């Protein structure tokens, strides 16, 4: 399993908004690029992360776990950047 920080950031935005278009706007990406990142992550992990019921998106149980991990990685990366900036 190999996920990039960018994929985790994209997943976090989609998970927060539960909307590909809003996530794309936040990240200054196209909607197809965002959905492609999510599709690639699901393929890599071998489990669906998001399901669509009608027009609404919902995180699967696996998606909820990935969101928790994504937030942890993103927060730790931001902390590291601040600590390194303090040392510079």
């Amino acid at each position: 399993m190999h996920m990039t920080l960018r994929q985790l950031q994209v997943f976090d935005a989609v998970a927060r908004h539960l909307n590909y278009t809003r996530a794309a706007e936040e990240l200054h990406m196209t909607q197809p690029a965002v959905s492609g990142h999510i599709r690639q992550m699901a393929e890599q992990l071998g489990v669906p992360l998001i399901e669509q019921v009608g027009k609404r998106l919902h995180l699967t149980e696996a998606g909820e776990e990935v969101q928790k991990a994504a937030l942890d990685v993103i927060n730790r990366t931001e902390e590291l950047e601040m600590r390194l900036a303090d040392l510079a």
Side-chain angles (χ1 to χ4, degrees), residues 45-65:
L45 296 171
V47 292
L49 301 174
I50 296 174
E51 58 188 8
Q52 187 166 346
V53 179
K55 292 186 177 186
R56 298 185 60 109
L57 298 180
H58 300 277
L59 295 179
T60 63
E61 190 174 340
E64 291 174 3
E65 292 300 319

Side-chain angles (χ1 to χ4, degrees), residues 9-32 34-35 55-57:
Q9 291 168 329
V10 169
F11 185 79
D12 175 59
V14 172
R16 282 186 288 106
H17 293 288
L18 292 174
N19 184 293
Y20 290 115
T21 302
R22 286 192 203 123
E25 290 169 357
E26 176 185 319
L27 298 167
H28 306 288
M29 297 173 67
T30 65
Q31 185 275 334
V34 168
S35 61
K55 292 186 177 186
R56 298 185 60 109
L57 298 180

